[in-house]
Amino acid sequence: MTTDKTATTTDKTATSKIRLWTAASLTLIPTLILVLARFTWGDRLPETVASHWSGSTPDGFSTTTTFFSIALAISLVAVVIACVVAARSSDNAPLFLAVTSISSATLATIWILSVALTIDAGTPEDARIGWWILAPIAAVLVGVLAYALPDQQRNGPKSPLPTPTLDTPLTSSERAVWVGQVRSVWPWIATAGLVVLVIATAAYSDWWVAVILGVSTLAVTAFASVTVRVDRHGVGISSWGVRWKKIPISKVKSASVDAIRPAEWGGWGYRITPRGTAVTLRSGEAIVVTLENGRLFAVTVDHPEDGVKLINSLVQAG
């Protein structure tokens, strides 16, 4: 029996590795296609290509060689990152592989499309993108596939989690407060990238696109630091002193401590899934609240034990 279990575990590990490296290959393949396209066109490559459009008309140009060198350099960095992530098999692998594959696929698509449209038009000024603008957008689907490929499921069903309470039960007249906090690095990294994108968009595209990206940037920074407050009113979630989520105690059935992974809840940030809602900033311990309607609400936070005890005690105290 032990041998069978060991063999099953080995098979699952091997399958997960294969799926990880398959997802990583989605970063390598667009890079190879980029290089292949460069050598296939050969002497037909124009000296200058249209590299940016306002509507269907080009309003930005770049030398083909410079454009290719930038696209290739960034894609090769993405390939190295994808290989390291696949080799380490971390819980964050699906997210990183999604980002690297989107980067390489988008850059390859944009360069190839720019060259093809310029060659077809004869001059970069006469190139027209039209519905081809959907091609770089469709590159995002490669990232979706890279995210979905790695095995993100935990082995076996979980047993019911305990619902601990305070050692001394609360009376209806007593007041108690618990505050927990968690910080994360990834929102700052995403914010830095978005800021660069906002600046570039403001300089080379329509202003309203930059405004949308700016609002998105502010939303991402909200997850750099999240505070959880538990009191007689319920469970509150806030960022930078602004509360944006509140669960009344009257709607809570119980609470427990559980170790969760963002991959199980659809990724990082504020996630809504069929099983419930989660605020995930990292892998690790979290407060998992079971609501009266049976849905779950989870939030990763440092040292959640006392918070869970207080929630259950408040529920019991009514």
Side-chain angles (χ1 to χ4, degrees):
M1 182 64 69
T2 302
T3 302
D4 292 338
K5 287 183 178 179
T6 302
T8 301
T9 301
T10 302
D11 290 342
K12 288 182 178 180
T13 301
T15 300
S16 297
K17 277 290 186 182
I18 292 173
R19 292 166 69 93
L20 267 175
W21 283 104
T22 302
S25 71
L26 295 178
T27 302
L28 175 62
I29 291 173
T31 305
L32 293 176
I33 293 175
L34 174 66
V35 175
L36 180 62
R38 165 67 179 81
F39 286 102
T40 299
W41 270 312
D43 296 335
R44 295 180 59 203
L45 284 174
E47 182 178 346
T48 304
V49 294
S51 58
H52 188 273
W53 279 263
S54 178
S56 294
T57 305
D59 60 0
F61 306 91
S62 173
T63 61
T64 306
T65 302
T66 300
F67 196 178
F68 175 79
S69 299
I70 294 173
L72 180 61
I74 297 176
S75 295
L76 289 175
V77 171
V79 169
V80 172
I81 294 174
C83 291
V84 172
V85 169
R88 294 183 61 183
S89 303
S90 67
D91 290 341
N92 300 333
L95 178 65
F96 279 108
L97 293 176
V99 172
T100 57
S101 60
I102 289 175
S103 299
S104 64
T106 302
L107 287 168
T109 302
I110 290 175
W111 187 84
I112 292 172
L113 184 61
S114 297
V115 172
L117 293 175
T118 300
I119 291 176
D120 183 65
T123 65
E125 292 78 11
D126 293 329
R128 296 293 181 270
I129 192 168
W131 288 104
W132 283 107
I133 188 64
L134 296 177
I137 298 175
V140 175
L141 297 177
V142 178
V144 174
L145 180 59
Y147 181 85
L149 269 173
D151 185 10
Q152 303 177 31
Q153 302 298 321
R154 302 291 289 271
N155 294 329
K158 294 183 178 179
S159 58
L161 296 171
T163 55
T165 58
L166 297 175
D167 295 335
T168 303
L170 288 174
T171 65
S172 58
S173 61
E174 287 183 310
R175 300 289 182 264
V177 176
W178 177 86
V179 177
Q181 194 174 54
V182 61
R183 293 183 174 87
S184 181
V185 175
W186 70 262
W188 291 118
I189 298 174
T191 297
L194 284 171
V195 167
V196 173
L197 190 58
V198 168
I199 295 173
T201 303
Y204 297 104
S205 187
D206 297 324
W207 64 268
W208 58 269
V209 178
V211 171
I212 294 175
L213 289 172
V215 172
S216 300
T217 302
L218 291 176
V220 170
T221 59
F223 294 98
S225 177
V226 169
T227 300
V228 183
R229 177 186 172 94
V230 178
D231 55 28
R232 63 188 180 89
H233 299 292
V235 182
I237 312 294
S238 62
S239 299
W240 313 117
V242 178
R243 191 179 71 187
W244 48 269
K245 177 73 175 179
K246 182 74 172 183
I247 302 176
I249 283 295
S250 60
K251 294 185 178 181
V252 176
K253 182 179 180 180
S254 65
S256 58
V257 177
D258 190 15
I260 68 174
R261 297 189 302 174
E264 297 173 326
W265 292 85
W268 284 256
Y270 190 84
R271 319 302 296 181
I272 300 176
T273 70
R275 67 189 299 193
T277 305
V279 180
T280 56
L281 273 69
R282 53 153 172 77
S283 297
E285 289 187 324
I287 293 176
V288 180
V289 176
T290 301
L291 304 177
E292 289 291 347
N293 60 10
R295 287 180 61 80
L296 301 178
F297 177 83
V299 54
T300 53
V301 64
D302 295 335
H303 313 297
E305 297 83 3
D306 290 338
V308 166
K309 290 179 181 179
L310 180 55
I311 293 173
N312 290 322
S313 296
L314 289 168
V315 170
Q316 290 184 2

